[in-house]
Amino acid sequence: MTTTTHHPQRTPQDAPAAAAATRQVGGGVFSPRQLLTSLPDALRKFDPRHQLRNPVMFVVWVGSVLVTVFAIGDPSGFSIGVAAWLWFTVLFANLAEAVAEGRGKAQAESLRRTKTDAVARRLVDGVEERVAGTELRIGDLVVVEAGEVIPGDGDVVEGIATVDESAITGESAPVIRESGGDRCAVTGGTTVLSDRVVVRVTTKPGESFVDRMIALVEGAQRQKTPNEIALTILLSTLTIIFLLAVVALQPMAAYSGSAQSVIVLTALLVCLIPTTIGALLSAIGIAGMDRLVQRNVLATSGKAVEAAGDIDTLLLDKTGTITFGNRRATELVAVGGTTPEELAAAVRLSSLADGTPEGRSIVELCAERFGLSAEPTDHEKTGEFVEFSANTRMSGIDLGDLSVRKGAAGAVRAWVAENGGEVSSEVGPVVDEISAQGGTPLVVAEIRGGVASVRGVVRLSDVVKPGMRERFAELRAMGIRTVMVTGDNPLTAKAIADEAGVDDFLAEAKPEDKMALIRQEQEGGKLVAMTGDGTNDAPALAQSDVGVAMNTGTSAAKEAGNMVDLDSDPTKLIEIVEIGKQLLITRGALTTFSVANDLAKYFAILPAMFAGIYPQLDKLNIMHLATPQSAILSAVIFNALIIVVLIPLALRGVRYRPSSASALLRRNLLVYGLGGVVTPFAGIWLVDLLVRLVPGIG
């Protein structure tokens, strides 16, 4: 039996990407040790030029300096305590940002260790010359053989090889890279394990994919997103309003005969402005990108992460995303008096040397349901395998006086007719029914003893991945519309779409059709996300608001998208949307908590300031704080400590449950709004119990 060699294909990354990421960055779990290791970076952030970037914390920094000056001029337990805890407030805010940045820098450092100064074998007019990898330029051709490191990013233009990309993706299984198609891109620093390839360099030295990865995960270089800028403006406005309110209090206090010290007024200002969210805002944004890195996804900017949280429409390729990608034999339908066992024997024989996924699935089906051997006998090995071709649209085997063919209905019918046989009337309805249900029919026929006849039909099904209907239901609950994009005919596309549970589908899709659909959605004010890996996907990736390119794809696709999935798992787009929503929800939840927080601190400080003049205000002292000084100092201490308490939540993110916007708002107000009011009452009261023990304050 003559056979053809089939190159192995990369298997889908079914394991969660987070497992690979855990190996790289230790997961996303917060460790108290991170506070200590990030302390030097936090101390460096006391630089006023750094503080100026955050208006809320800059006000706290200025207040700390002011109170410190007054405390030095008139030292007391109260003034020194307030000054110290104001500085701790700034320190804890710096610490939150430093911890978030530190996790990104740890990932960047691990990536730097993967960089290798490789020696390249550059081809010039067909002659090899050895040069340093740093001397390569765009368009250069380099030869890489087994055991050698690929010197720079590029596309394979000749040959096929297995490549170890574990240093980049964390996945130990080697991958196939070959010329042509959508699996030609290679990354500098990865290692060729077998065979020989010629690579065309596509990046300049210092601009490789690894270099860009390092720059992306460095939290310190992360620019503020539009939502962050808008929230910063809001917080700055609130700070100005509270500043004016505090300044206006002093004339009132002086008129009443109880002028307040600068220390008390500063403490009041710091406690009333939204210091909690101001301190954690940067850490929340950095942690959002870090959560993507933990799942082996790189975002070119924070804007892409936020856009993922606001997505309205999700475009998903059918093959490899919604379905497994390889059609599988799921049913054998015998016709014309043929028994199922006879059909199984015939179609197994025609598929023994068929190395395609469809052929292997037919042999597996025959072995599983009819107990037939998956391996050919010695006699069967003497047969001649007939490969599938676009002209014949059939494949099969010739074994002595027996010939078996399987393939497209029209081609097999013609083959039977050419050999003097008749096609059973049962074949047409079976073929039509399978096609109408979204399957692919393969007609099986044989010539035995000079008589040609059709034995039956094999149903090939594009199997939908388990759990997809449930995941699409979750997306629907988030208000996201899902659209399946496929090159199949509308009949097949509808059957798959109904089985998977997507909201809509685009059949017989060409690159320009994807672009048109994306633009149509965007013109309606919607944000669109999609995945892609081929050069033909690049225009749509660039047009979409969130374009996730597969790492196995072409360089053009990776350049066009604003995210790169190192695991090349198209279904991860759903996780990316959830991470984006978690980022937005975390920011909203902590903003709600911070604003609600101020209400309780208001009840702690204002009664303490004026209770001596207006005894009626003592009724507002519902926490029964010991003295005005202990009340003010307790509020300042709580204001600082709550930042440290919330750092793990800011880094981990608020748990996201798919639900409507109104349900999320109710949950936010109930948990973080009410919690923001109640927590300070208990916290300030507990701190006051300790503060009142300090001589001169309690």
Side-chain angles (χ1 to χ4, degrees):
M1 180 184 295
T2 58
T3 61
T4 56
T5 301
H6 296 271
H7 296 297
Q9 298 295 320
R10 187 184 186 186
T11 57
Q13 303 290 341
D14 294 328
T22 300
R23 292 192 295 271
Q24 293 183 31
V25 296
V29 181
F30 173 78
S31 168
R33 174 181 284 185
Q34 292 175 323
L35 293 175
L36 293 177
T37 56
S38 300
L39 189 57
D41 284 336
L43 293 174
R44 283 191 285 269
K45 292 179 183 294
F46 274 104
D47 187 331
R49 290 169 297 182
H50 178 83
Q51 296 297 321
L52 197 56
R53 301 175 190 170
N54 188 333
V56 175
M57 296 315 301
F58 180 69
V59 170
V60 180
W61 183 89
V62 172
S64 303
V65 173
L66 193 61
V67 172
T68 301
V69 171
F70 279 90
I72 293 173
D74 184 17
S76 66
F78 174 71
S79 61
I80 293 173
V82 172
W85 280 101
L86 287 181
W87 283 117
F88 276 126
T89 304
V90 180
L91 174 64
F92 295 155
N94 293 345
L95 203 56
E97 185 176 1
V99 169
E101 290 177 0
R103 303 202 311 179
K105 289 176 181 177
Q107 170 71 359
E109 185 57 35
S110 70
L111 291 171
R112 284 193 183 94
R113 290 195 293 269
T114 68
K115 294 186 64 176
T116 305
D117 293 330
V119 175
R121 296 161 56 188
R122 183 166 60 187
L123 281 177
V124 180
D125 297 328
V127 179
E128 288 186 20
E129 62 175 11
R130 290 186 174 271
V131 298
T134 54
E135 296 182 19
L136 295 176
R137 295 294 180 266
I138 296 176
D140 285 350
L141 297 177
V142 294
V143 177
V144 191
E145 295 184 346
E148 296 179 344
V149 174
I150 296 173
D153 292 0
D155 293 328
V156 176
V157 295
E158 180 184 319
I160 179 172
T162 55
V163 179
D164 176 10
E165 294 187 344
S166 59
I168 305 298
T169 66
E171 177 58 51
S172 58
V175 297
I176 300 296
R177 293 290 178 266
E178 57 186 329
S179 59
D182 295 337
R183 295 181 180 269
C184 62
V186 290
T187 305
T190 56
T191 305
V192 173
L193 299 180
S194 69
D195 303 296
R196 172 186 183 274
V197 290
V198 176
V199 176
R200 177 182 289 114
V201 177
T202 58
T203 59
K204 300 176 183 177
E207 297 180 6
S208 69
F209 187 58
V210 174
D211 291 315
R212 282 180 286 146
M213 287 169 66
I214 293 171
L216 291 175
V217 299
E218 290 280 7
Q221 298 177 6
R222 192 186 65 87
Q223 295 182 348
K224 287 187 177 182
T225 64
N227 282 352
E228 241 180 308
I229 294 172
L231 184 55
T232 300
I233 294 172
L234 173 62
L235 297 180
S236 301
T237 303
L238 289 175
T239 301
I240 294 172
I241 291 172
F242 282 121
L243 177 60
L244 295 175
V246 170
V247 170
L249 281 176
Q250 184 67 333
M252 294 172 55
Y255 178 79
S256 302
S258 179
Q260 300 296 319
S261 68
V262 172
I263 294 176
V264 171
L265 292 174
T266 303
L268 174 63
L269 175 63
V270 170
C271 288
L272 291 186
I273 64 177
T275 50
T276 306
I277 185 61
L280 298 173
L281 186 58
S282 181
I284 292 170
I286 295 171
M289 294 188 70
D290 183 54
R291 280 192 290 276
L292 277 181
V293 173
Q294 291 166 25
R295 288 164 177 79
N296 270 7
V297 178
L298 295 177
T300 58
S301 70
K303 294 180 183 179
V305 186
E306 281 194 356
D310 284 329
I311 285 301
D312 300 295
T313 305
L314 201 58
L315 268 59
L316 297 161
D317 275 333
K318 183 203 75 172
T319 306
T321 304
I322 295 174
T323 66
F324 282 107
N326 295 327
R327 295 173 301 171
R328 299 183 61 81
T330 55
E331 185 183 10
L332 302 182
V333 183
V335 299
T338 303
T339 66
E341 289 75 16
E342 290 172 337
L343 172 59
V347 74
R348 166 192 169 274
L349 188 60
S350 69
S351 304
L352 283 173
D354 184 353
T356 65
E358 293 85 354
R360 291 195 298 269
S361 73
I362 290 173
V363 174
E364 290 169 4
L365 182 66
C366 293
E368 178 184 335
R369 296 191 183 176
F370 299 94
L372 301 178
S373 173
E375 299 296 328
T377 64
D378 292 339
H379 173 64
E380 290 168 341
K381 290 179 180 178
T382 63
E384 181 179 356
F385 176 59
V386 179
E387 293 185 55
F388 175 87
S389 73
N391 291 327
T392 64
R393 295 190 297 158
M394 296 185 300
S395 64
I397 189 173
D398 292 329
L399 183 62
D401 64 348
L402 174 64
S403 296
V404 185
R405 296 289 186 273
K406 69 175 189 297
V412 175
R413 282 171 171 166
W415 182 73
V416 171
E418 287 172 5
N419 288 277
E422 293 186 3
V423 178
S424 169
S425 60
E426 299 175 42
V427 174
V430 172
V431 168
D432 293 341
E433 180 184 0
I434 292 174
S435 298
Q437 294 173 351
T440 301
L442 289 183
V443 177
V444 182
E446 68 176 29
I447 300 176
R448 185 184 293 271
V451 178
S453 62
V454 174
R455 288 297 196 177
V457 183
V458 180
R459 180 196 296 267
L460 296 180
S461 301
D462 204 351
V463 181
V464 174
K465 293 180 178 179
M468 293 306 295
R469 177 174 285 275
E470 290 75 14
R471 299 198 76 174
F472 290 139
E474 290 180 1
L475 290 169
R476 198 171 296 112
M478 302 178 202
I480 297 174
R481 175 171 168 264
T482 52
V483 180
M484 182 185 77
V485 180
T486 176
D488 290 339
N489 63 69
L491 202 61
T492 302
K494 185 179 187 307
I496 296 293
D498 290 342
E499 183 181 354
V502 295
D503 298 313
D504 201 354
F505 65 90
L506 178 65
E508 298 177 342
K510 299 184 287 294
E512 52 269 28
D513 297 329
K514 296 180 187 179
M515 286 281 290
L517 177 59
I518 293 172
R519 285 173 177 162
Q520 178 183 339
E521 294 288 322
Q522 290 172 335
E523 287 170 1
K526 297 178 180 178
L527 297 183
V528 182
M530 74 161 288
T531 61
D533 59 1
T535 300
N536 64 331
D537 291 324
L541 285 171
Q543 180 68 37
S544 59
D545 300 285
V546 177
V548 184
M550 300 295 102
N551 190 40
T552 56
T554 61
S555 299
K558 287 191 280 189
E559 290 290 340
N562 49 22
M563 291 188 187
V564 178
D565 176 18
L566 301 180
D567 291 328
S568 299
D569 177 8
T571 62
K572 201 181 293 181
L573 181 55
I574 300 174
E575 290 183 53
I576 292 170
V577 170
E578 292 175 348
I579 291 171
K581 286 192 174 292
Q582 185 184 36
L583 169 65
L584 297 176
I585 290 170
T586 301
R587 185 182 297 153
L590 292 182
T591 300
T592 303
F593 184 91
S594 178
V595 174
N597 225 355
D598 298 333
L599 181 62
K601 289 179 282 188
Y602 170 90
F603 279 98
I605 293 183
L606 283 185
M609 289 174 60
F610 296 104
I613 307 172
Y614 305 108
Q616 299 90 333
L617 288 177
D618 194 52
K619 294 179 181 179
L620 296 177
N621 185 15
I622 57 180
M623 289 175 276
H624 301 293
L625 304 179
T627 66
Q629 287 186 329
S630 73
I632 294 169
L633 183 56
S634 297
V636 172
I637 293 174
F638 174 83
N639 192 60
L641 293 179
I642 196 63
I643 295 173
V644 179
V645 173
L646 291 176
I647 288 177
L649 181 61
L651 298 180
R652 185 179 64 250
V654 174
R655 184 180 177 185
Y656 173 67
R657 298 183 183 90
S659 57
S660 64
S662 58
L664 285 173
L665 178 60
R666 286 194 301 270
R667 177 171 171 265
N668 230 15
L669 291 175
L670 180 63
V671 176
Y672 295 97
L674 185 60
V677 172
V678 173
T679 303
F681 279 97
I684 292 174
W685 178 74
L686 289 173
V687 173
D688 181 71
L689 293 179
L690 299 175
V691 169
R692 67 177 64 183
L693 301 177
V694 179
I697 297 178

